[in-house]
Each structure stands twice: as structure tokens, then as C-alpha cells.
Amino acid sequence: MNTKQLNIDRFYFHYPFTLYLLLSLKGIIKNMNKNLIMALFSTIIITLSGCSKDKPQTIPQHELGDTSYFSQQLIALNAHNTAPLTSKKYPYATYVRQASEKYNINESLIFAVIKTESSFRSKAVSHAGALGLMQVVPNSAGVDVFSLVKNRSGKPNRAYLFHPQRNIDTGTAYLHLLNTRFLVNIDNPISRFYLMISAYNGGASRALGVFDSDKEEAIDIINDLPPKDVLAMLVLQHPAKESRDYLKKVLKHQVDFYQIT
């Protein structure tokens, strides 16, 4: 999947309307001289050929549905910890604050992930074997955090991830890895933010694969797109419905937590 394919899809979406327009002009064309007819068709050809170019196009906001919270959440993203959520006495607020400061991840995002993943149930277990508040998978995210952040071998066990403080630390450390290592070549921090959330659920490879099967090509495409188009493609084009819904839920929950502080 790449920007060219997205633009071609748009061409076919608008093609029936273009054909209808041409048929409607049939009577008018009969009365036009040859030069005007050639000018008209040249304009149409140039316009339609632009749909197949590789230049990224902006995706209208209405194609995302009711997503007013997407623009609102940018306020939370750009106001890192300016309004401490710990003052509202949320569950595990102290642990969240500690992890936020340690890994430079917004408190409201950590709370949003917890809310989406487990609804604050510290002993939650998913069908895929994800554990605890932030639903850390021991064999993937757990191994990465132990190896790349904590410089230790092995993986976290159930008891480790059922401990609220350790689970929040591990889940936030994995968000940190996504942001600073696995997705570090995404230039725009807002685009990288969207990809980080999607990747937390479905993996970095699948998030990048929305844009192209080749990792480097996917990164180039993402860097050519405005953040709202990156968001749109993740929400509309990700192959996993769970990941499409996950991104929307986390963003909405983040705004909810931020707004009531």
C-alpha cells in the first residue's frame, strides 16, 4: 500500500462522476468548435492524470467520521504534564507519574492505554497472553524492554507483570522504545505519535506496512504525508480492525483524561 495506490483509488472513486459530467455536456459539445473541444478534453486529461502521481494528497476530514477529538488531543500532546493528573487521585497515579517522568511519555497517554487495554484491572489476561494493566506480552514487548531498556536477559513473568508498578513501567518503557528506536526515523512527532499508538497494539511492522511492505519505503511515504493523512490511513487502511479501533479509542481516552485535569 503506498501513496500512489491511494491516489489511484481516489481516481476510480471520482470516475463515475466525471463520466456523468461528460455525458451531460454532450449537447454543449456539439455546438463548440474544434479548438474549444480540444481545449476541454486536454483540461480533463491533465486533471485526471494528476490522480496517479506520487504526490501525497490531503484526505478530507469527513472521511474519518466523527473525529473532532483528534485535533483536540494534539493539545494534550503538546502540553506534556503541564496539568498533573496525579492531583485527581486516579488509580495508580503515582506509578504513572514515575513512568512518565522516567521515559518522557505523557501521563494522559499512559492512562489512556491502561483504560483501553485493561480498564484498570491489574490481573487482566488477554487471549493473546498479554498481561496486566498495560497488557504487556512477555515474549515480545517484555523481551524488548528487558533487553534494550533494562539490560537484562529473559522476559518478565506473570507475577512481574501483575504487579501494577512494574507493569506500568514496562508498558511505558515499550512506548518509549517505539518512539525513540523502532519508529525514530519518522520525522514528524505527531505522525510518529500516531504510529506509536498503533504499533503498541499491532506491532511496528504492521503499522508501517499500512504504507508500504518495504520498511524504508514506508518511512519515506510517511515523511511525505501530513500527520492527519497518516492518521487517516492508520484508521482506515490498517489490516486489523482491532488496531484501527484501538488507535481511535486511545486518542479519545487521552483527551478525556487530559480535559478533566
Side-chain angles (χ1 to χ4, degrees):
M1 176 65 187
N2 57 33
T3 306
K4 181 176 181 180
Q5 183 62 53
L6 178 66
N7 293 337
I8 291 173
D9 291 343
R10 289 184 171 283
F11 166 75
Y12 285 113
F13 177 79
H14 292 295
Y15 179 76
F17 172 77
T18 305
L19 181 60
Y20 171 78
L21 179 61
L22 288 174
L23 291 175
S24 299
L25 292 173
K26 182 178 179 181
I28 299 174
I29 292 173
K30 285 183 178 180
N31 299 320
M32 295 173 62
N33 62 41
K34 182 178 179 180
N35 289 336
L36 286 176
I37 292 173
M38 292 301 295
L40 173 62
F41 277 93
S42 295
T43 301
I44 292 172
I45 291 170
I46 291 171
T47 300
L48 294 181
S49 66
C51 295
S52 62
K53 292 181 180 179
D54 285 336
K55 182 180 179 181
Q57 295 183 2
T58 299
I59 296 177
Q61 181 68 19
H62 67 78
E63 293 190 16
L64 288 172
D66 183 15
T67 55
S68 60
Y69 55 84
F70 287 138
S71 60
Q72 296 173 20
Q73 68 85 24
L74 297 181
I75 300 173
L77 174 65
N78 292 318
H80 181 75
N81 292 334
T82 56
L85 294 171
T86 50
S87 63
K88 294 297 182 182
K89 302 188 184 303
Y90 291 115
Y92 316 112
T94 300
Y95 302 151
V96 169
R97 168 52 63 88
Q98 290 171 349
S100 173
E101 294 179 346
K102 183 176 181 180
Y103 298 112
N104 196 31
I105 298 294
N106 195 289
E107 284 184 60
S108 61
L109 176 58
I110 300 172
F111 275 115
V113 170
I114 294 173
K115 171 68 175 177
T116 305
E117 292 283 2
S118 68
S119 293
F120 292 92
R121 293 178 293 119
S122 63
K123 299 296 177 66
V125 180
S126 78
H127 66 278
L131 303 173
L133 291 167
M134 297 186 72
Q135 289 290 276
V136 177
V137 179
N139 291 327
S140 54
V143 169
D144 286 341
V145 170
F146 266 29
S147 173
L148 301 174
V149 177
K150 300 187 178 297
N151 296 315
R152 57 185 290 185
S153 61
K155 63 184 180 181
N157 58 27
R158 290 173 69 92
Y160 186 98
L161 292 175
F162 281 155
H163 187 283
Q165 183 177 16
R166 290 172 179 168
N167 186 283
I168 292 171
D169 181 86
T170 304
T172 308
Y174 187 61
L175 287 171
H176 168 76
L177 280 176
L178 289 169
N179 188 48
T180 63
R181 188 181 181 100
F182 301 141
L183 301 170
V184 69
N185 290 323
I186 306 301
D187 295 333
N188 189 295
I190 308 299
S191 296
R192 190 168 63 250
F193 176 77
Y194 294 142
L195 283 151
M196 175 179 65
I197 296 172
S198 181
Y200 189 89
N201 175 260
S205 294
R206 295 192 79 185
L208 292 172
V210 171
F211 303 88
D212 197 274
S213 58
D214 179 81
K215 177 182 176 182
E216 298 304 320
E217 181 67 20
I219 291 172
D220 288 341
I221 291 171
I222 292 167
N223 286 336
D224 284 338
L225 289 169
K228 68 177 182 177
D229 284 8
V230 172
L231 171 62
M233 290 187 68
L234 289 170
V235 169
L236 298 172
Q237 304 285 347
H238 198 291
K241 183 179 185 302
E242 178 183 335
S243 294
R244 297 195 300 269
D245 293 341
Y246 182 85
L247 177 54
K248 292 188 289 185
K249 288 177 183 177
V250 171
L251 290 174
K252 185 178 186 304
H253 288 323
Q254 186 189 8
V255 174
D256 290 342
F257 279 112
Y258 180 79
Q259 287 180 330
I260 58 180
T261 58

